Amino acid sequence: MSDIPRVWATRSTRTKVAVLGTATLVVSGLLAAPMAFSDSPTPPTEYPAAEIHRPSPMPDRVVLTPTTAPATSQNVTWRADAPNGSAQAQILQAPRALGDVRPAEGDVATVMAVSSTPVNTSLGYASTYHTVNFTDLRPDTRYTYRVGDGVNWSEWVDFTTAAEGIEPFSFIYYGDAQNYIDSAVPRVFRQAFADRPEARLVVNAGDLVDSPNSEEEWGQWHQADGFIDAQINNFSVPGNHEYSSGRLSSFWRPQFPYPDNGPGNAELDGTAYTVDYQGVRFIGLDSNLQNNPTLMAAQTEWLEGLLRDNPNKWTVVSFHHPVYSMTGTRNNPNVRNQWGPLFEEYGVDLVLQGHDHAYGRGNQADARESVTVHNGVTYAVSVSGGKMYDLNNGENWTDNGGEIVTDGQDMQLYQLIDVTEDTIQYEARYANGEHHDGFLIRKNDEGERTVNEIRTPENTVGEQVTVDRTSVRRGERVQVAAFGYDPGERVTVRLRADGDDGQGRTIRTVTADEIGRVSYALDVPMWAHRGSSYEVYLTSENQQIDSPAIEITR
């Protein structure tokens, strides 16, 4: 613990300052005319990037990155010119007020940086990144911190540690920012934060910038989200634009000190790593190395171990190159063939990707349960930046056993993902905040899962009930199944003549289970007419759906 810093000084006299404007002056109640400095205006000149992004002793580019124990520790990284050995942070449990309000003696702790790494930049100077590791924190607790050199400080910023065990939380997912980072991307980042200010993580699926070693572009990326990364953990994986001639960006590891718990290869440090957060196992992979057999095999073996021995209910995997590409002639067979089977075998819930500058979401075709429900892995591809590609009609999905549920091009998107003990809700929104796509995953304690489309008037009617036979005798049993209900929703089972728009005759009322599934063994009643066809008709508060026709043979 250090002494309380002198930022909490006594109140000073506030001096009123009159400001003289250069355009007009108010003198004795008269409005003076604007002052003319020349007969012709001077055209503006572009302010040089080297000045815009030049580091100073004042901290900037502040980023939280998760540790392997997010309930009790936290990493924070920032950029600043600081005397050797002076980089430090101060932290205390979030108080009700600061400034003139002085914390109690001993409440503020000073923590020295564990690393200070200079990066030679494209603008002719070095940028130095400093990292502090806060430890011995309390779970699910809000803290206030600032970073600096003991004299020059950032503003105070708040973050909240993870809870121990599974607890509800939200996170945000972005595809490639990459282009128009200084103009088109900021509104996406800020709208996402406006929609989920309580989010605990931001997942970036690669290509954060276009040129991996550009000081200007990294500066634009940090400016795009302003203060957001200083209070929400950043979970990013590199894209191909974080590499140049096979070498990772010199900025990556200094500004993103991710956990050193990957496959063990030096080349994968900080690009393949994992974090368990409130019941979710987040796994980051480096798909840029898919054509390196050694590093690909190392990641695949490591991935299988994480999936096989996973104490968490939910699993989210992120990497850059999609399992099922959306555009042009792109294809990633090594990713699909080596990682795809593991995702399916071990029941990964979400695979979050980028690279294709378009939107797509789907699953394996054989996971389809009904028109609106499947039970498989959900694969998503998205884009947050302003560079767009054309779609390829989903051939990469359908040619490889997948089905594309929804897609889109020429759109900037962000994804809001809300996690509870039994559900994950996913929604993609445009840069202007409007809805584009969404679904709800339900999972029980046995690991059974349904992935449900958001309900609409159109998709809650029609032939969605399945039966195990369509030719049957009176008194014989037909197994009926349907999905898409709320857990515990009451469903009335009816039998009605095929082609009849009426309600039919009630057989029984049943209850949907915890993943929204109805399963019922229907004994065909003796009043059914031989030679006639009937359909099973299920009605509830949320759905009115029916089965294929069942012929009564005897």
Side-chain angles (χ1 to χ4, degrees):
M1 291 294 192
S2 70
D3 294 335
I4 301 299
R6 297 184 62 188
V7 67
W8 295 281
T10 57
R11 290 178 175 83
S12 60
T13 303
R14 291 168 173 78
T15 305
K16 295 182 178 179
V17 180
V19 180
L20 278 179
T22 57
T24 60
L25 300 175
V26 178
V27 183
S28 301
L30 299 177
L31 188 64
M35 300 174 64
F37 294 99
S38 65
D39 293 334
S40 59
T42 302
T45 58
E46 184 176 358
Y47 193 61
E51 295 305 316
I52 295 173
H53 302 289
R54 184 178 297 278
S56 78
M58 292 304 298
D60 62 7
R61 306 186 185 182
V62 185
V63 181
L64 294 180
T65 53
T67 70
T68 55
T72 57
S73 61
Q74 178 65 65
N75 282 335
V76 58
T77 297
W78 71 98
R79 184 188 76 150
D81 285 340
N84 187 39
S86 67
Q88 59 190 277
Q90 292 182 326
I91 187 170
L92 70 161
Q93 284 195 41
R96 294 178 178 177
L98 289 173
D100 284 342
V101 179
R102 184 184 179 93
E105 186 73 26
D107 280 358
V108 179
T110 297
V111 184
M112 303 306 295
V114 295
S115 67
S116 294
T117 307
V119 178
N120 292 323
T121 76
S122 59
L123 298 181
Y125 47 72
S127 282
T128 300
Y129 290 86
H130 313 278
T131 296
V132 156
N133 178 233
F134 297 127
T135 58
D136 299 321
L137 305 179
R138 295 181 180 179
D140 198 19
T141 301
R142 183 164 174 157
Y143 285 89
T144 299
Y145 77 97
R146 64 177 183 169
V147 296
D149 58 13
V151 174
N152 303 289
W153 293 103
S154 70
E155 72 276 24
W156 291 97
V157 188
D158 285 16
F159 71 89
T160 301
T161 53
E164 291 182 323
I166 189 165
E167 292 290 342
F169 74 99
S170 299
F171 68 96
I172 299 167
Y173 148 54
Y174 299 122
D176 307 35
Q178 187 181 342
N179 306 94
Y180 306 97
I181 314 172
D182 60 338
S183 57
V185 171
R187 61 194 293 259
V188 177
F189 288 178
R190 294 167 193 177
Q191 184 61 51
F193 177 75
D195 289 346
R196 286 296 182 279
E198 75 283 6
R200 296 292 188 87
L201 292 98
V202 173
V203 174
N204 289 285
D207 280 6
L208 286 65
V209 297
D210 189 51
S211 301
N213 297 307
S214 169
E215 168 79 346
E216 180 178 7
E217 291 184 17
W218 281 114
Q220 291 172 351
W221 185 84
H222 283 282
Q223 289 174 345
D225 75 351
F227 61 84
I228 299 169
D229 273 338
Q231 62 189 55
I232 299 176
N233 269 295
N234 185 286
F235 186 102
S236 294
V237 293
N240 54 296
H241 283 269
E242 273 76 60
Y243 277 86
S244 177
S245 301
R247 296 178 64 87
L248 182 66
S249 166
S250 57
F251 287 84
W252 189 266
R253 293 186 178 106
Q255 66 185 359
F256 300 135
Y258 290 123
D260 184 16
N261 60 358
N265 306 70
E267 300 95 326
L268 295 169
D269 287 349
T271 68
Y273 61 100
T274 184
V275 173
D276 290 348
Y277 196 99
Q278 292 187 194
V280 180
R281 172 155 288 181
F282 288 91
I283 301 172
L285 296 167
D286 193 341
S287 59
N288 300 281
L289 305 171
Q290 61 183 294
N291 294 320
N292 182 318
T294 300
L295 296 180
M296 192 64 178
Q299 289 190 89
T300 302
E301 181 180 4
W302 174 72
L303 170 65
E304 183 166 18
L306 291 175
L307 298 178
R308 181 179 58 244
D309 303 317
N310 184 0
N312 300 275
K313 186 168 186 176
W314 302 104
T315 307
V316 176
V317 181
S318 184
F319 50 88
H320 187 59
H321 300 79
V323 173
Y324 303 104
S325 292
M326 298 297 303
T327 60
T329 57
R330 291 184 170 191
N331 197 6
N332 306 296
N334 289 339
V335 168
R336 185 170 54 255
N337 296 335
Q338 294 188 52
W339 296 347
L342 297 180
F343 300 153
E344 298 292 334
E345 179 180 355
Y346 292 102
V348 168
D349 299 292
L350 292 175
V351 176
L352 307 179
Q353 307 147 109
H355 192 53
D356 286 346
H357 296 261
Y359 184 82
R361 190 256 298 180
N363 48 270
Q364 278 279 293
D366 60 9
R368 178 62 50 190
E369 295 276 21
S370 72
V371 175
T372 62
V373 176
H374 71 84
N375 64 12
V377 180
T378 298
Y379 300 86
V381 180
S382 192
V383 56
S384 60
K387 178 183 178 182
M388 308 299 175
Y389 293 160
D390 292 333
L391 297 171
N392 66 351
N393 299 316
E395 289 101 343
N396 196 265
W397 296 75
T398 55
D399 290 351
N400 293 288
E403 62 174 17
I404 188 163
V405 176
T406 184
D407 60 18
Q409 61 188 27
D410 297 332
M411 54 183 65
Q412 285 180 272
L413 297 155
Y414 58 93
Q415 286 68 224
L416 307 173
I417 302 173
D418 304 317
V419 182
T420 72
E421 183 174 358
D422 300 320
T423 65
I424 289 181
Q425 180 171 296
Y426 168 112
E427 184 183 8
R429 295 183 182 177
Y430 304 119
N432 65 2
E434 295 176 359
H435 172 83
H436 171 64
D437 179 37
F439 57 90
L440 177 70
I441 306 175
R442 291 193 175 98
K443 186 188 286 188
N444 62 22
D445 292 339
E446 287 70 46
E448 294 178 297
R449 171 180 56 199
T450 57
V451 182
N452 305 263
E453 297 299 307
I454 290 179
R455 295 190 187 108
T456 68
E458 293 76 24
N459 70 15
T460 52
V461 297
E463 189 177 297
Q464 297 185 45
V465 181
T466 61
V467 291
D468 66 343
R469 56 205 304 191
T470 55
S471 179
V472 64
R473 298 178 181 184
R474 289 175 293 183
E476 290 185 333
R477 179 163 292 182
V478 176
Q479 192 65 41
V480 178
F483 296 85
Y485 298 100
D486 287 340
E489 186 172 348
R490 300 288 286 169
V491 181
T492 301
V493 181
R494 293 182 165 92
L495 197 64
R496 68 181 183 184
D498 184 31
D500 183 1
D501 291 334
Q503 294 293 301
R505 295 178 65 169
T506 298
I507 303 297
R508 190 172 179 181
T509 297
V510 297
T511 302
D513 68 10
E514 66 269 24
I515 60 173
R517 170 181 55 194
V518 163
S519 181
Y520 179 65
L522 186 152
D523 293 323
V524 177
M526 298 307 295
W527 52 256
H529 297 293
R530 184 176 62 182
S532 297
S533 294
Y534 293 84
E535 60 188 18
V536 180
Y537 182 46
L538 303 185
T539 63
S540 72
E541 179 182 358
N542 292 311
Q543 296 191 121
Q544 295 80 46
I545 54 179
D546 52 46
S547 74
I550 302 170
E551 183 183 3
I552 310 301
T553 58
R554 287 184 61 182

